[in-house]
Amino acid sequence: MSNDRTRSSRRGTGRSVVRIGTRLFVDFLIVSLWVVFVTLVFLATGWPQWAFYAALILGVGGYVQFTAGWG
């Protein structure tokens, strides 16, 4: 009986680690793609540097606001 609980607990822990790892990877991928996209747009257009940083901060901040409730 006790052995079944241990297996179930380990399985749940493994799933949690995979879920968290997947979430971190997806977050990293999306933010990285946003940074590359904004960088390429601003290099191609020559827009001001302050607007570049504003776009980065607003983009990442918006993503965090949108995904903060996932859980």
Side-chain angles (χ1 to χ4, degrees), residues 3-16:
N3 199 12
D4 291 339
R5 286 187 200 155
T6 303
R7 286 183 191 160
S8 177
S9 175
R10 287 182 186 161
R11 193 175 315 133
T13 302
R15 288 179 184 161
S16 294

Side-chain angles (χ1 to χ4, degrees), residues 47-60:
W47 291 342
Q49 189 174 8
W50 64 266
F52 170 76
Y53 289 111
L56 282 180
I57 291 169
L58 290 174
V60 173

Side-chain angles (χ1 to χ4, degrees), residues 25-55:
F25 177 74
V26 169
D27 288 345
F28 174 77
L29 183 64
I30 289 172
V31 170
S32 296
L33 289 173
W34 175 250
V35 170
V36 169
F37 172 74
V38 170
T39 301
L40 292 175
V41 167
F42 275 80
L43 285 174
T45 59
W47 291 342
Q49 189 174 8
W50 64 266
F52 170 76
Y53 289 111

Side-chain angles (χ1 to χ4, degrees), residues 11-22:
R11 193 175 315 133
T13 302
R15 288 179 184 161
S16 294
V17 169
V18 169
R19 189 178 72 231
I20 291 169
T22 302

